[in-house]
Amino acid sequence: MAEQIPERLAFLEQQIFYYQSTSDGDIKKEQKKIRDLDQLAKAIKKPNLNYKFDDFKESNHYSLVLKSIPNALYQIFDAYKPISSSEFLDKIVVLQSGYVDYLSNKYDALEKTLNIKMPIRINDFKAIEAAILKNKAYAEFQTLSELAKKTIQKQCLVIII
């Protein structure tokens, strides 16, 4: 089965989330299988595969489930989170340009992966504004304002209907 799962993951074209975990107290035979499968799954480089592996310490075969379920849910709903300060500092501010594109791509990915169409959060607009100001990329304000207008227009249509 450890060979079939990576083959299937590589073959699939739709968005898929795959999570697995083990622990130092897990059944030894299962640990080896899971770690081998992890190595095979990590080798698959497909944008539609969202793969995560956790190796917990001080857990046994039964207690690792209590840690795995929340981590798997965090993995799935990661795209739904608003822009955090760490995402701002590590991913956005370091960009040379394309701050508005980053914001658009974030919400496009949310729609693609979770099929959720939601308006862009005001705090996310503010984060992109701060990145533009910090990097003196003032030309991007035009694109940001156009995106804001589109977002407001969509919200107004929803309210009217």
Side-chain angles (χ1 to χ4, degrees):
M1 183 149 106
E3 300 84 29
Q4 295 170 337
I5 292 174
E7 287 174 12
R8 188 69 182 147
L9 291 174
F11 176 75
L12 292 172
E13 293 300 321
Q14 72 268 21
Q15 180 72 30
I16 187 163
F17 293 87
Y18 191 81
Y19 176 88
Q20 65 175 1
S21 64
T22 189
S23 70
D24 54 1
D26 202 357
I27 301 166
K28 298 299 177 198
K29 188 170 113 176
E30 297 299 319
Q31 275 183 19
K32 176 153 177 35
K33 287 180 186 177
I34 292 168
R35 288 189 177 115
D36 290 346
L37 178 55
D38 173 52
Q39 294 305 313
L40 294 171
K42 281 181 181 172
I44 301 169
K45 303 294 182 205
K46 293 186 82 170
N48 62 329
L49 174 63
N50 188 325
Y51 172 74
K52 183 171 185 200
F53 171 74
D54 281 323
D55 193 353
F56 297 107
K57 304 296 178 218
E58 300 178 13
S59 294
N60 63 35
H61 181 70
Y62 302 101
S63 66
L64 75 91
V65 174
L66 299 173
K67 296 178 180 180
S68 298
I69 291 172
N71 282 8
L73 290 172
Y74 283 128
Q75 173 198 3
I76 293 168
F77 292 102
D78 187 58
Y80 187 77
K81 295 187 312 190
I83 294 173
S84 65
S85 57
S86 62
E87 181 180 7
F88 176 77
L89 293 171
D90 297 340
K91 295 181 180 178
I92 299 172
V93 172
V94 297
L95 294 172
Q96 298 298 318
S97 64
Y99 308 104
V100 179
D101 292 337
Y102 182 92
L103 183 62
S104 295
N105 292 341
K106 179 177 177 71
Y107 281 83
D108 289 345
L110 177 63
E111 187 174 338
K112 255 185 177 174
T113 58
L114 300 176
N115 201 23
I116 297 174
K117 293 180 183 180
M118 65 179 285
I120 299 171
R121 296 176 181 99
I122 291 174
N123 286 344
D124 289 351
F125 274 117
K126 289 180 179 182
I128 298 304
E129 175 193 18
I132 291 170
L133 289 171
K134 185 171 180 82
N135 291 301
K136 298 181 174 103
Y138 305 120
E140 291 214 28
F141 274 128
Q142 179 66 35
T143 314
L144 186 63
S145 69
E146 291 167 5
L147 183 61
K149 284 177 190 175
K150 280 189 219 175
T151 301
I152 290 171
Q153 287 171 348
K154 286 180 185 177
Q155 286 178 337
C156 290
L157 285 176
V158 171
I159 292 170
I160 292 171
I161 293 175

